[in-house]
Amino acid sequence: MRRITTKRSPISITEKSNFLPSSPVPSTSKFTPLMRSLLPSFSYYSIFFSSTHLSNPEPNPETLSTPSPNPRTRTPLEKQFESWIEQLKPGFTPAHVDEALRAQSDPDLALDIFRWTGQQRNYKHDHLTYLTMIDILISGKRYGHAETLIEEVIAGACSVSVPLYNSIIRFCSCRKFLFNRAFDVYKKMLKSEDCKPTLETYTLLFHSLLQKFHKLNVCYVYLHAVRSLTKQMKASGVIPDTYVLNMIIKAYAKCLEVDEAIKVFREMGLYGCEPNAYTYGYIAKGLCEKGRLNQGLGFYKEMRNRNLVPSGSTYMIIICSLAVERRFDDATDVVFDMLGNNMAPDLLTYRTLLEGLCRDGRGDNALELLEELKKTDRLMGEKTYKILLNGLHSLSRE
């Protein structure tokens, strides 16, 4: 049998080039040498920005023989990405990546750089790059991406540090559905050898708990957590500051556990902390709401002797408590003290005092006090004055 041979025509260079992957960047780009050493044979951004890989997974035979005269123009974001990657030299470290991320104002582009570098050989992100990237995403309101990175950290994607853990706690404690996650991270810190909770950690956790103290029946649910956290803080040797102690005092006072609040107040000197206006205000309000008016008034007077000015809410609770107990002279003194500090009671507080006087048979005193208050209180409008005056006239006719 005779063998039939056919002569195979050589494939031209042009035809060969049609079967090769396209270059990631134009050959004239300064970025080419770096990309040859760092990138695979296909363009990173052809995956991030081009839909041709998804819509046309198989090459079109009709277009293979003819090279495209107009290659796809790179978008500004692609060019910007390449310009940033160009600054990363081969063998870059987490410190280099961190510097590149910090210099980037676009959170989406920063995340692309973060993901691209994380895929390179002989490189792994550390706690520093994760912390920077998470902070950038939070600042840019890319909360979903931030949550993804946080879960990666918790799963062990990188080495950890106290600043990284605290940043995660700060973010999670402010998110409704991540509140418990903040305490999961705190428990990991307790078990860690070199990332123990710090004063900042406890400050963040106490603050997140105090945000839940809106209603009295809810306060008791979270008060147990405040107690436990306080004990753990003391056991760990962390020395609280005035801000943390005030939050603990506020938690007890909100739940009317005023004896516990006073106990913490007495311990402030042991930690080298001085009580401030908030300290006295929380205790004074708690005592008045508990019905222990004399003690509350005592804390108010001690505060004023220290030249500390109460908040408007503290003033008004003391005034109303005194008026309800028919201690109108003391209540009047507190009102004028409040006005002297450029604050004014609200309508309800004024009515409690003035109408209390009227019901006590001192209608004339109430009218005189109202006229004096009108002259002193620059914030009292004509409408408020008429409401108060009509209320007193109505009570006088009864």
Side-chain angles (χ1 to χ4, degrees), residues 339-379:
L339 294 173
N341 285 296
N342 298 318
M343 288 180 278
D346 59 12
L347 179 61
L348 178 61
T349 306
Y350 273 138
R351 289 187 63 179
T352 304
L353 173 58
L354 294 171
E355 293 179 9
L357 274 169
C358 197
R359 288 192 181 95
D360 199 46
R362 300 168 60 181
D364 293 338
N365 296 123
L367 290 170
E368 291 176 5
L369 178 59
L370 176 58
E371 295 301 323
E372 190 174 355
L373 290 171
K374 184 183 178 183
K375 296 177 183 177
T376 308
D377 185 0
R378 298 177 181 177
L379 299 177

Side-chain angles (χ1 to χ4, degrees), residues 9 17 110 191 340 347 377:
S9 60
S17 65
K191 297 177 182 178
L347 179 61
D377 185 0

Side-chain angles (χ1 to χ4, degrees), residues 94-205:
H96 296 136
V97 176
D98 181 70
E99 184 178 355
L101 294 174
R102 290 180 183 275
Q104 181 51 249
S105 59
D106 186 339
D108 298 315
L109 190 54
L111 181 60
D112 289 340
I113 295 173
F114 179 85
R115 290 304 190 194
W116 181 86
T117 52
Q119 295 172 356
Q120 305 311 303
R121 291 182 179 180
N122 302 321
Y123 175 82
K124 184 180 180 181
H125 287 303
D126 64 0
H127 62 89
L128 187 64
T129 52
Y130 264 97
L131 173 61
T132 300
M133 191 66 249
I134 289 172
D135 287 344
I136 290 172
L137 292 173
I138 294 173
S139 299
K141 298 183 179 180
R142 305 302 194 270
Y143 301 129
H145 293 303
E147 290 179 30
T148 300
L149 294 190
I150 287 171
E151 292 302 321
E152 291 178 12
V153 172
I154 295 175
C158 69
S159 58
V160 292
S161 65
V162 172
L164 177 57
Y165 272 147
N166 284 343
S167 179
I168 293 174
I169 290 174
R170 181 182 297 106
F171 173 72
C172 292
S173 61
C174 296
R175 309 287 291 177
K176 182 178 180 180
F177 298 106
L178 295 176
F179 178 79
N180 293 331
R181 207 66 170 134
F183 286 86
D184 291 339
V185 175
Y186 166 68
K187 292 175 183 177
K188 290 179 71 73
M189 295 181 75
L190 287 176
K191 297 177 182 178
S192 172
E193 293 295 332
D194 51 357
C195 292
K196 295 293 184 183
T198 62
L199 177 61
E200 182 183 2
T201 311
Y202 286 105
T203 302
L204 293 170
L205 293 174

Side-chain angles (χ1 to χ4, degrees), residues 185-363:
V185 175
Y186 166 68
K187 292 175 183 177
K188 290 179 71 73
M189 295 181 75
L190 287 176
K191 297 177 182 178
S192 172
E193 293 295 332
D194 51 357
C195 292
K196 295 293 184 183
T198 62
L199 177 61
E200 182 183 2
T201 311
Y202 286 105
T203 302
L204 293 170
L205 293 174
F206 278 120
H207 183 267
S208 66
L209 287 172
L210 263 294
Q211 299 302 309
K212 306 291 184 179
F213 280 58
H214 298 303
K215 297 180 181 179
L216 187 60
N217 57 337
V218 178
C219 290
Y220 292 102
V221 177
Y222 293 99
L223 185 60
H224 175 72
V226 172
R227 281 198 177 100
S228 299
L229 202 60
T230 303
K231 291 179 181 178
Q232 292 168 4
M233 179 180 64
K234 291 180 179 179
S236 63
V238 174
I239 300 176
D241 58 6
T242 301
Y243 183 69
V244 168
L245 292 173
N246 277 349
M247 285 193 286
I248 298 172
I249 290 172
K250 182 179 181 179
Y252 284 126
K254 280 271 190 179
C255 295
L256 303 183
E257 299 281 348
V258 287
D259 290 326
E260 293 290 338
I262 294 173
K263 182 180 178 181
V264 177
F265 171 79
R266 303 299 182 198
E267 293 175 351
M268 294 185 75
L270 300 176
Y271 302 110
C273 300
E274 283 290 328
N276 55 25
Y278 291 104
T279 315
Y280 283 102
Y282 295 144
I283 296 176
K285 286 196 291 185
L287 287 167
C288 290
E289 291 173 352
K290 186 75 173 180
R292 294 159 62 172
L293 180 57
N294 287 332
Q295 278 185 283
L297 189 61
F299 272 91
Y300 160 76
K301 291 179 178 179
E302 183 178 341
M303 171 172 40
R304 298 302 290 125
N305 289 335
R306 288 172 171 255
N307 292 322
L308 299 174
V309 179
S311 64
S313 61
T314 302
Y315 268 123
M316 289 188 285
I317 286 177
I318 295 173
I319 294 168
C320 289
S321 299
L322 289 168
V324 168
E325 293 294 322
R326 302 174 63 186
R327 298 174 61 172
F328 302 111
D329 293 338
D330 290 333
T332 302
D333 291 339
V334 178
V335 168
F336 282 104
D337 181 44
M338 183 179 185
L339 294 173
N341 285 296
N342 298 318
M343 288 180 278
D346 59 12
L347 179 61
L348 178 61
T349 306
Y350 273 138
R351 289 187 63 179
T352 304
L353 173 58
L354 294 171
E355 293 179 9
L357 274 169
C358 197
R359 288 192 181 95
D360 199 46
R362 300 168 60 181

